[in-house]
Amino acid sequence: MTQLAHTIQGSIVALVTPMHKDGKVDWKNLKKLVEWHVQQGTNAIVAVGTTGEPSTLTMEEHAQVIKEIIQIVDGRIPVIAGTGANSTHEAIELTKEAQELGADAVLTVTPYYNKPTQEGLYQHFKAIAEASKLPIILYNVPSRTGVDMKNETVFRLADVANIIAIKDATGDLTRGKALIDGLNGKISVLSGDDGTAAELIGLGAKGNISVTANVAPQLMSQMCEAALAGNHTVASQINQKIANLNNILFCESNPIPVKWALHEMEMIEEGIRLPLTPLAEEFRTPIREALKETGII
């Protein structure tokens, strides 16, 4: 495992891309969010992951958001660029671009919609890794992509030199433990499911790539720190405090709820791009109450 793999751990925010009400990227609030995360103890930032709305950004905007975050962070914490695509060629091009922009690593999701076989998944990620010098973090989120990368495929990919970790967003702790045990330290496992992150870290995962960290960065950082230190009582207490938030932030498709929550916190404007729409009225009070009970507002 590379040295960087040891530094990419703890609370890793899957950062939203703030937008004005007219849908244009809000560069001023992007800077504000990044500075806030560094101050609040977030350990690393994912730029333009799922929560950052890559599917609605232009290629130019995609690159510019990554570039801006890297410049604002200025080496204080790692920046991981989202470079997933359902075309291997496109994923390679995005990864090369992230390397040129100065990203510390990339997060690349299983190809969605076209449903490759396990061999196709292996060849896809192997090709990306071989085309770049950047550390690669695999990303498996079958509920979102419609394709599930089996543990056995991850074990094969762990032998590829610059693949350093996997974000496991299955939420299946039994499977997660089998993944951690089977990898035997070859690469890191990072949770991609806020509700089960503390437990997965207790089983040997190295951190959490988080949606909830967008609104509760300090609490998520403290929870991950406690879990990594083996202080499971403290980790469990914090986890209970944010449990309702973890749940309600997925009442509609991510990032609809978390962007509305950040707007309610007066951190960003309410901009979001079609086909995503602003949060339905029925969910606004529950999210507001969850923010209040967690002490965020």
Side-chain angles (χ1 to χ4, degrees), residues 267-287:
M267 295 294 292
I268 64 172
E269 294 183 30
E270 55 188 313
I272 199 163
R273 288 185 181 175
L274 287 170
L276 301 179
T277 52
L279 186 72
E281 194 69 40
E282 66 192 276
F283 297 119
R284 297 185 178 191
T285 297
I287 287 184

Side-chain angles (χ1 to χ4, degrees), residues 33-74:
L33 286 177
V34 172
E35 289 291 354
W36 183 54
H37 277 285
V38 173
Q39 293 162 10
Q40 292 284 304
T42 295
N43 300 111
I45 292 175
V46 171
V48 205
T50 305
T51 311
E53 290 175 80
S55 57
T56 68
L57 297 178
T58 66
M59 295 291 281
E60 292 77 16
E61 287 171 330
H62 189 283
Q64 189 62 27
V65 171
I66 294 168
K67 183 179 179 181
E68 289 289 322
I69 291 173
I70 290 168
Q71 289 179 343
I72 297 162
V73 167
D74 194 24

Side-chain angles (χ1 to χ4, degrees), residues 1 12 17 33 47 71 85 112 115 119 121 135 154 207 222 245 253 283-284:
M1 194 181 298
I12 304 161
T17 300
L33 286 177
Q71 289 179 343
Y112 40 87
K115 300 181 77 171
E119 182 61 26
L121 290 171
V154 181
Q222 290 169 345
L245 203 56
S253 297
F283 297 119
R284 297 185 178 191

Side-chain angles (χ1 to χ4, degrees), residues 205-224:
K206 297 302 181 184
N208 180 34
I209 298 180
S210 172
V211 175
T212 301
N214 276 282
V215 297
Q218 190 173 63
L219 285 170
M220 186 59 73
S221 178
Q222 290 169 345
M223 188 197 78
C224 290

Side-chain angles (χ1 to χ4, degrees), residues 80-94:
I80 303 157
T83 62
N86 63 351
S87 157
T88 304
H89 173 77
E90 184 179 337
I92 287 171
E93 291 304 306
L94 288 169

Side-chain angles (χ1 to χ4, degrees), residues 114-128:
N114 47 14
K115 300 181 77 171
T117 63
Q118 294 302 305
E119 182 61 26
L121 290 171
Y122 173 77
Q123 295 293 344
H124 171 79
F125 288 116
K126 183 171 178 283
I128 296 169

Side-chain angles (χ1 to χ4, degrees), residues 151-293:
N151 284 1
E152 290 72 21
T153 305
V154 181
F155 299 155
R156 291 179 69 195
L157 286 164
D159 291 326
V160 178
N162 53 329
I163 292 176
I164 65 163
I166 177 168
K167 176 183 176 182
D168 173 28
T170 64
D172 183 335
L173 289 169
T174 301
R175 178 174 169 177
K177 185 179 187 307
L179 178 63
I180 292 164
D181 291 347
L183 286 168
N184 196 29
K186 279 187 177 180
I187 65 172
S188 298
V189 174
L190 300 165
S191 174
D193 180 68
D194 283 314
T196 58
E199 291 173 276
L200 195 66
I201 294 171
L203 294 171
K206 297 302 181 184
N208 180 34
I209 298 180
S210 172
V211 175
T212 301
N214 276 282
V215 297
Q218 190 173 63
L219 285 170
M220 186 59 73
S221 178
Q222 290 169 345
M223 188 197 78
C224 290
E225 184 180 7
L228 284 166
N231 194 339
H232 303 304
T233 300
V234 171
S236 180
Q237 289 170 347
I238 298 171
N239 192 45
Q240 288 173 13
K241 186 173 183 178
I242 61 175
N244 190 25
L245 203 56
N246 288 337
N247 183 53
I248 199 68
L249 287 178
F250 291 91
C251 61
E252 289 190 331
S253 297
N254 179 48
I256 292 171
V258 73
K259 289 193 90 173
W260 189 87
L262 282 165
H263 172 62
E264 186 73 6
M265 294 164 62
E266 301 183 346
M267 295 294 292
I268 64 172
E269 294 183 30
E270 55 188 313
I272 199 163
R273 288 185 181 175
L274 287 170
L276 301 179
T277 52
L279 186 72
E281 194 69 40
E282 66 192 276
F283 297 119
R284 297 185 178 191
T285 297
I287 287 184
R288 193 177 293 118
E289 291 302 316
L291 291 170
K292 286 178 180 177
E293 76 177 30

